[in-house]
């Protein structure tokens, strides 16, 4: 084989000769140093043999990743060394020992991999020496390196004497920059950093940095070794003392109850299929109990701990039999309506039935109070055939409530999750985390953060309660959480949940729920079954006149109140009688109607517009009033507990009115001589949010122009400075409020029209939805002509 000349394109288009190249793994060779190493790759052996046969030098360059078997140019460092092969010794067919001497530093220009061995085009890269101006700095660096070497030597004294002598006796910056990294056990990446430097001064600085880091690591390593040695000595001493105590006890024929207890615990541990880490921990505690007096306080603590751990349902699984048809029947029987919610639950159950890989799916049921979130979770447990446990998280502030207390505290106990597992006596129960949005945090920690590990499918297979201090597998537990709103749930926690939203009930749904579920239940509980009959008209009157809520909890209380009045009458009568309750005699029983009509625009009034608002318990009608006071000073008055965002919306509406004054006949108004008062009724209730923007603008233009606002229209939408209507949230709840207040038309931002998919079918049939994209379109629909006004 002969050297091949190839023409490589460079800036001067000069000829370059390809030289045999060896990619070194974990080794960097410096000029003027003799190094021996072993070569095992066929291509590297071929390069060495060819260099010896042809009496040529070989280019040695380190590769970045030692695991790469066939490196290319991107796997090699840019700088290496041209070296003379002094001697080779063939150990076997696939292993050769090589002795080389580094000659000069070179830069890798290009590499070819298509021959029997690597061939590289190189360019000599000499290192710039120390200039006279830098001589003082070079001397300071040499001294610092020698001082650092002495510290290094104190921590690592096993260096050859000739190496120590050569380093401490030399004052040559060039010699030290090449000799020290070549002969000390630095990381090859650190050595390569020194090799890459183009000046002796920069090399010395890099070498000093490496020395500092290595000295620090060695000092920490020495501290660790010293501590381990002391601990081993202490453990051996304790072991001998305990063995002596045991021997003395046996000689005196002393029997301790703790020994028999410890043996019993060991038998219980052997019977349970525990993870290895848990088994070792419990056996260690058993050994501690064996060596203690049975009456000691510590022995009592250990017994309590062992009982708690061994009572847990390790690997006790409740068989899961998912029948979709049966689940459909259970959900329909126990819950009226909630069509989309039931569909989502059945879809989740179907996936669990078809795939055994789906385990830790966290379901979050979100909706207003009283819509059936907790009862839905109970129904899911019935559908799955799993054990059921409930945890209330409302107002929990202490992280230890979730993860337990460490056993170092007096009265320590496991957290709520492990307690729920223990209560259910199953390692795959359905655990309901109620009111997850009511978690709080203080100086005792953040319970929501503690829940992250339990609810994360990637890590809850090794959940560690602080009291148990051994991992417990929660991956088979089905967690269901409930919340009234997702706004207060921390984002990382919400990200681990599959959210299912439960809507507010319509009037028809409340009637059916009361008739099918609430009334029969309360008749049974009050002992009036067959004695009292409440007519459909009475139930409707109770819904409309005595309750105002998103759910049915207040409705159930009102029904119970009616039945109590009937029970009093029946109990006082001498003869058995039956009572029929109709809408006409409700007032005699429980008093006049309690739900007062909400203030709103009911008569096409001027300066009053019906807006829609979202609350945590459902949607509400939010009317906005505007009055214009003449002979004023241009002041703006905002009342009704308005937040900053609503105040900004009011200012946007005024700006729009000024800009478009001519279009609405306002060009004769001098805004500097009038006062504008904007009010949102029910002033004690704070209100905020951008979705009242079009309502504010409509009421304002109406008051200024004298044109009345339609009373059958409700609206919601945010506005911009130029009158563009932007989308809002909570459309489903807001439309429910419009339906409840008997509106006929709802103005919805055009971008919110896809959200109507989630609106109840009854609401969609009762209301007419008009998409709007700008404020002029809103005013055209809302404002009546001047003649009609």
């Amino acid at each position: 084989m002969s050297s091949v000349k190839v023409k490589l394109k460079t800036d001067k288009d000069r000829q370059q000769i390809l030289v045999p190249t060896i990619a070194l793994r974990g080794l960097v060779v410096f000029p003027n140093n003799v190094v021996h190493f072993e070569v095992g790759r066929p291509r590297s052996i071929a390069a060495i043999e060819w260099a010896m046969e042809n009496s040529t030098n070989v280019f040695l360059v380190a590769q970045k990743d030692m695991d790469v078997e066939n490196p290319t140019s991107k796997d090699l460092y840019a700088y290496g060394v041209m070296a003379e092969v002094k001697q080779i010794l063939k150990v076997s067919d696939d292993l050769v020992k090589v002795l080389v001497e580094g000659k000069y530093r070179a830069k890798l220009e290009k590499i070819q991999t298509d021959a029997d061995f690597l061939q590289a085009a190189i360019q000599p890269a000499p290192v710039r020496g120390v200039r006279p101006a830098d001589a003082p700095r070079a001397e300071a660096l040499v001294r610092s390196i020698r001082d650092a070497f002495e510290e290094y030597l104190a921590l690592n004294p096993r260096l050859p004497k000739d190496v120590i002598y050569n380093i401490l006796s030399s004052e040559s910056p060039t010699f030290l920059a090449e000799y020290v990294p070549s002969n000390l056990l630095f990381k090859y990446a650190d050595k390569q950093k020194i090799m890459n430097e183009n000046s002796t001064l920069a090399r010395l600085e890099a070498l000093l940095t490496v020395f500092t880091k290595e000295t620090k690591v060695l000092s920490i390593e020495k501290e660790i070794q010293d501590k381990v040695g002391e601990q081993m000595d202490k453990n051996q001493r304790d072991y001998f003392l305990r063995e002596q105590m045991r021997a003395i006890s046996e000689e005196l024929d002393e029997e301790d109850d703790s020994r028999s207890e410890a043996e019993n615990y060991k038998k219980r541990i052997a019977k349970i299929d525990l993870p290895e880490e848990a088994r070792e921990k419990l056996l260690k505690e058993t050994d501690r109990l064996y060596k203690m007096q049975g009456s000691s306080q510590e022995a009592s603590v250990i017994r309590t701990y062992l009982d708690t751990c061994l009572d847990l349902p390790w690997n006790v699984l409740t068989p899961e039999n998912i029948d979709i048809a049966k689940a459909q029947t259970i959900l329909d029987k126990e819950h009226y309506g909630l069509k989309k919610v039931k569909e989502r639950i059945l879809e989740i159950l179907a996936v669990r039935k078809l795939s055994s890989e789906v385990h830790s799916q966290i379901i979050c049921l979100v909706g207003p109070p009283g819509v059936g979130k907790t009862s839905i979770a109970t129904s899911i447990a019935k559908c799955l055939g799993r054990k059921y446990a409930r945890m209330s998280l409302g107002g929990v502030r202490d992280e230890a409530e979730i993860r337990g207390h460490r056993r170092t505290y007096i009265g320590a106990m496991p957290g709520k999750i492990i307690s729920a597992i223990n209560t259910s006596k199953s390692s795959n129960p359905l655990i309901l985390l109620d009111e997850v949005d009511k978690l709080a945090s203080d100086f005792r920690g953040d319970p929501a953060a503690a829940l992250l590990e339990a609810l994360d499918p990637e890590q809850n297979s090794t959940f560690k309660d602080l009291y148990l201090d051994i991992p417990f597998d929660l991956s088979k537990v089905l967690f269901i959480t409930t919340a009234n709103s997702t706004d207060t749930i921390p984002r990382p926690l919400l990200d681990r949940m599959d959210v299912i939203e439960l809507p507010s009930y319509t009037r028809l749904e409340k009637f059916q729920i009361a008739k099918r579920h609430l009334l029969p239940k309360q008749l049974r509980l009050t002992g009036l079954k067959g004695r009292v009959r409440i007519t459909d008209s009475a139930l409707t009157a109770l819904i409309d006149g005595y309750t105002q809520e998103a759910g049915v909890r207040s409705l159930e209380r009102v029904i119970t109140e009616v039945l109590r009045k009937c029970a009093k009458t029946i109990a006082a009568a001498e003869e058995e009688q039956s009572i029929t309750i109709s809408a006409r005699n409700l007032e005699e029983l429980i008093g006049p109607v309690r739900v007062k009509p909400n203030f709103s625009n009911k008569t096409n009034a001027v300066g009053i517009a019906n807006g829609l608002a979202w609350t945590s318990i459902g949607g509400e009608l939010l009317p906005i009033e505007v009055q214009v006071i003449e002979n004023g000073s241009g002041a703006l008055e905002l009342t009704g507990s308005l937040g900053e965002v609503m105040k900004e919306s009011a200012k946007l509406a005024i700006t729009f009115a000024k800009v478009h004054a001519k279009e609405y006949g306002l060009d004769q108004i001098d805004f500097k001589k009038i006062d504008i008062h904007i009010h949102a009724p029910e002033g004690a209730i704070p209100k905020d949010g951008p979705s009242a923007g079009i309502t504010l603008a409509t009421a304002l233009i109406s008051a200024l122009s004298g044109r009345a606002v339609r009373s059958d229209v409700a609206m919601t939408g945010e506005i911009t400075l130029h009158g563009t209507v932007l989308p809002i949230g909570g459309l489903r709840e807001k439309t429910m409020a419009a339906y409840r207040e008997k509106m006929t038309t709802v103005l919805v931002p055009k971008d919110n029209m896809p959200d109507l998919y989630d609106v109840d079918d009854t609401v969609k049939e009762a209301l007419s939805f008009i998409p709007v994209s700008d404020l002029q379109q809103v005013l055209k629909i809302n404002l009546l002509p001047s003649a009609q006004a």
Side-chain angles (χ1 to χ4, degrees), residues 51 86 153 206 487 499 541 574 675:
K86 294 287 190 181
L153 189 61
D487 295 343
V499 176
E574 295 181 359
D675 291 341

Side-chain angles (χ1 to χ4, degrees), residues 495-512:
D495 186 54
R496 288 161 169 79
M497 301 179 188
D498 185 6
V499 176
I500 300 178
E501 295 189 1
L502 279 72
S504 306
Y505 288 124
T506 63
R507 184 166 172 265
L508 176 61
E509 286 174 334
K510 288 182 181 180
F511 173 77
Q512 293 293 342

Side-chain angles (χ1 to χ4, degrees), residues 364 366 436-438 483-491 494 501 614-616 730:
C364 182
V366 178
V436 73
D437 58 329
K438 308 298 190 301
N484 296 133
S485 170
T486 58
D487 295 343
T488 55
I489 302 176
R491 199 72 206 172
L494 184 63
E501 295 189 1
W614 178 93
T615 69
S616 61

